[in-house]
Amino acid sequence: MLPRQFTTVGLTAAVVVGSLWLLLHSLDFSPRYMQGFYPPHRDRYNDSEWYTSSLTSLPPRCRKNIVVASAFPFHFDVYMAAAKTIGDVLDSQPEDEEERGTIHLFTPDFSFGFDDIAEELGLWKHRGTRGRPEELGNFTNADRGASGIDLIVFGTCEVDLPYWHDELVAAWDSRDAEHKFKIVCIVHNVEDTRWQEHITHWARRGAIRLLPIADHVKNTFRQKFNAIADSSDAGLYTAGYQHIPIDVHAPILDIPYLPIKPVPRQLVYAVIQGTLAANRRDYLRFFNDLIASLREDAAAWGYLPLNGRTAFEPDFESRIPPFQLLLVGAGAIEIPAELAFVVTVHHDLAYKDFYTLVANADIVVPAFAPLGYFRDQASSTVALATELAVPLLVTERLRRTYGYIDDARAVVTRPAAMSEVQALKALRTGDASAFLNSDPAGVGVAMGGVKGVREAVDRMLKDGWARDPEEWMEWRQDVWDRNWMVVDRILRDMP
Ligand SMILES: *[C@@H]1O[C@H](CO)[C@@H](O)[C@H](O)[C@H]1NC(C)=O
Ligand SMILES: *[C@@H]1O[C@H](CO)[C@@H](O)[C@H](O)[C@H]1NC(C)=O
């Protein structure tokens, strides 16, 4: 049976929602969090002194009987990353195993081989009941007392809250004041507003919090909620929107067996990952830039000049092997004839093959189309590239927008004035002179004459594109530590 609502919204949402993720600068840490009140590394969770001090000064972990649920048949890599962090936090409770808590799962079957990934990565710890989405209502009502469920985490709230709202309102009302559950909404796209009317009910009861996957989605929701809090409509300003907690959880998985890559190495394989549709990624612009650059200097890319042929042909004598662009995602897209030997398309892969393919590449290129990836929704590419230890080619703006990637250990930063193609060429050859000597606006000032741009290019080339695996691991641990703190606060009912 298809979930109610799903038939009408599911496929649209599958296409539109696509992706997402997270964090650093705007986590509202109190100074105490910053002063190492929480352990920066996991081995310290077992530090008895730390336990003693934290247990006496923090509210208890009152949320222990947790459901992770979704009626949406995608995004399991996102919400199971959150399930993993919840499991990690429960692990650290210094009490008996049974006292730590339980995680129940009410979702459709995982597809594209994600079951194996979930198993291998141990994403579902402290296992309770595995149910189907339509069974969650009865499950929630089975025990309305102290051992009933006390927290429900929705994987795609845009779909999930409308699906369960009525049932959960009844379930919530039927409990006494001591045994109300709370809802955590993993959200993906601020512009998807169908579900948002339901927030008012739960906000008024202090029973909802949001968990987007990147900073900008958090910030945009915060602005939106603050505006609603100032509304003149008594039905809205009375609901306490200003006080709805919003945190960020970066869905970075611990993918095993990442390839060990030689350092130094050459930049050969670039990936653009995402739905193969022109409104999701700016394939057309990228192709045009690449063709223009190949026409200008085919050798830099490891190709022969066209010389009347329809496609650039690989130059097997090239010092650096011919550049390859991998398009990875669902759907289909027409490849310009000139790029027949440059571009390969890989679609509808099982998760394992997908991870292997991307992890073996050298760099991931976002190539975002202007679809709100900087304000309303987060792209899956950002988490995907960084969790696979493949550097992502970004601008300062993208770093700051997503937050958790605002870190040189995980990304390569190009100046905005330099296109992705120009940056790839410069990183590949170590030579940015063609770009620096160019004057695209025809104003008599070459790009290298603009001080900020020139310095940013110098920095980019100096830092190179390959990232140190150990530094990357430290970055990833920092992301996980912040995820851990976020979930710990949720389980302690802290704002
Ligand atoms: C935690 O510390 C105790 C006492 O030092 C030790 O016996 C136990 O193995 C440690 N547990 C873990 C998970 O490291
Ligand atoms: C929920 O419980 C009711 C009453 O026991 C039952 O009739 C119904 O079939 C159950 N629903 C599901 C989806 O299991």
Side-chain angles (χ1 to χ4, degrees):
M1 186 188 89
L2 276 180
R4 284 154 289 174
Q5 310 273 348
F6 172 62
T7 40
T8 50
V9 305
L11 295 183
T12 324
V15 175
V16 173
V17 174
S19 327
L20 6 165
W21 348 57
L22 142 75
L23 115 108
L24 174 60
H25 290 290
S26 53
L27 280 181
D28 301 315
F29 289 142
S30 67
R32 211 163 60 170
Y33 279 90
M34 299 308 290
Q35 286 159 16
F37 220 82
Y38 279 82
H41 293 291
R42 272 191 286 188
D43 48 4
R44 281 184 49 195
Y45 301 166
N46 196 23
D47 177 329
S48 60
E49 214 175 308
W50 174 74
Y51 281 136
T52 318
S53 59
S54 67
L55 287 175
T56 51
S57 54
L58 292 176
R61 292 231 185 94
C62 52
R63 307 280 155 193
K64 291 183 170 178
N65 204 358
I66 299 152
V67 171
V68 174
S70 188
F72 188 63
F74 300 98
H75 293 162
F76 15 83
D77 46 350
V78 173
Y79 62 74
M80 290 311 290
K84 169 66 163 58
T85 309
I86 296 169
D88 288 345
V89 173
L90 293 180
D91 276 350
S92 71
Q93 194 80 349
E95 293 150 21
D96 293 347
E97 179 76 28
E98 299 92 82
E99 286 292 303
R100 287 178 173 174
T102 306
I103 302 172
H104 311 279
L105 207 53
F106 285 77
T107 71
D109 289 340
F110 300 149
S111 46
F112 295 105
F114 194 76
D115 267 321
D116 294 339
I117 300 285
E119 212 46 55
E120 198 170 340
L121 272 58
L123 301 184
W124 186 20
K125 302 200 271 189
H126 303 277
R127 295 186 182 205
T129 300
R130 178 75 166 98
R132 287 172 289 123
E134 59 272 24
E135 294 167 336
L136 177 59
N138 282 0
F139 186 72
T140 307
N141 286 325
D143 185 338
R144 296 165 203 218
S147 44
I149 64 168
D150 46 37
L151 189 73
I152 304 176
V153 180
F154 286 133
T156 301
C157 233
E158 290 89 340
V159 172
D160 299 332
L161 199 55
Y163 176 74
W164 275 295
H165 177 78
D166 292 344
E167 217 164 20
L168 289 186
V169 167
W172 202 90
D173 288 346
S174 73
R175 293 177 173 216
D176 67 32
E178 298 302 304
H179 299 106
K180 303 292 194 191
F181 54 83
K182 289 202 172 187
I183 292 173
V184 176
C185 269
I186 300 180
V187 286
H188 302 275
N189 184 357
V190 182
E191 287 291 281
D192 185 343
T193 53
R194 291 161 317 194
W195 71 286
Q196 294 175 9
E197 60 183 295
H198 298 305
I199 297 174
T200 315
H201 179 93
W202 300 101
R204 196 182 302 287
R205 288 157 182 79
I208 192 168
R209 60 193 301 157
L210 266 49
L211 194 59
I213 60 171
D215 276 14
H216 60 302
V217 178
K218 168 183 169 165
N219 296 337
T220 311
F221 263 113
R222 176 54 71 210
Q223 282 170 22
K224 185 164 187 169
F225 286 174
N226 286 349
I228 295 173
D230 274 344
S231 159
S232 56
D233 178 347
L236 292 176
Y237 75 74
T238 54
Y241 267 83
Q242 181 195 340
H243 308 290
I244 299 172
I246 311 178
D247 301 287
V248 176
H249 182 276
I252 299 289
L253 295 170
D254 183 7
I255 309 290
Y257 319 125
L258 292 178
I260 295 162
K261 300 173 178 172
V263 187
R265 61 184 185 276
Q266 292 164 323
L267 199 165
V268 175
Y269 295 99
V271 168
I272 299 179
Q273 179 269 328
T275 308
L276 297 171
N279 67 330
R280 309 300 300 270
R281 300 283 182 274
D282 207 345
Y283 296 103
L284 206 59
R285 172 180 52 79
F286 193 93
F287 291 161
N288 287 339
D289 288 354
L290 188 53
I291 292 168
S293 184
L294 277 156
R295 283 186 190 282
E296 190 183 280
D297 185 2
W301 297 97
Y303 286 81
L304 299 168
L306 266 189
N307 286 345
R309 288 183 290 257
T310 51
F312 289 97
E313 291 187 4
D315 174 4
F316 296 109
E317 316 270 281
S318 173
R319 187 174 57 84
I320 307 176
F323 175 76
Q324 293 284 296
L325 176 65
L326 283 55
L327 306 184
V328 186
I333 193 158
E334 205 177 325
I335 310 300
E338 292 93 326
L339 301 180
F341 296 107
V342 184
V343 179
T344 55
V345 179
H346 309 261
H347 47 86
D348 305 315
L349 300 176
Y351 269 91
K352 212 166 221 168
D353 300 330
F354 176 63
Y355 290 146
T356 304
L357 184 71
V358 178
N360 279 290
D362 297 317
I363 195 162
V364 171
V365 182
F368 288 155
L371 193 77
Y373 283 125
F374 287 93
R375 198 193 63 194
D376 304 318
Q377 65 175 322
S379 166
S380 58
T381 281
V382 174
L384 181 81
T386 51
E387 78 186 346
L388 293 174
V390 182
L392 186 70
L393 180 62
V394 297
T395 56
E396 288 286 344
R397 178 186 180 209
L398 192 76
R399 284 173 63 152
R400 301 237 166 82
T401 300
Y402 282 72
Y404 69 102
I405 56 157
D406 192 4
D407 194 311
R409 294 173 294 182
V411 297
V412 176
T413 311
R414 68 176 168 96
M418 188 181 210
S419 72
E420 291 171 328
V421 166
Q422 287 164 322
L424 288 174
K425 182 186 168 199
L427 288 164
R428 193 179 137 88
T429 58
D431 177 4
S433 57
F435 168 75
L436 294 173
N437 294 332
S438 70
D439 174 15
V443 290
V445 181
M447 290 310 314
V450 182
K451 184 165 175 277
V453 174
R454 191 186 62 243
E455 288 173 353
V457 171
D458 289 347
R459 261 197 311 279
M460 181 182 87
L461 289 183
K462 182 171 149 285
D463 294 347
W465 60 274
R467 291 290 170 264
D468 178 72
E470 298 221 336
E471 289 191 1
W472 172 79
M473 298 263 274
E474 286 167 17
W475 165 83
R476 188 179 70 161
Q477 187 63 53
D478 288 347
V479 173
W480 286 341
D481 287 345
R482 290 192 295 270
N483 282 345
W484 195 97
M485 290 185 252
V486 161
V487 168
D488 189 43
R489 276 168 38 221
I490 292 173
L491 301 190
R492 293 181 194 277
D493 253 0
M494 293 169 72

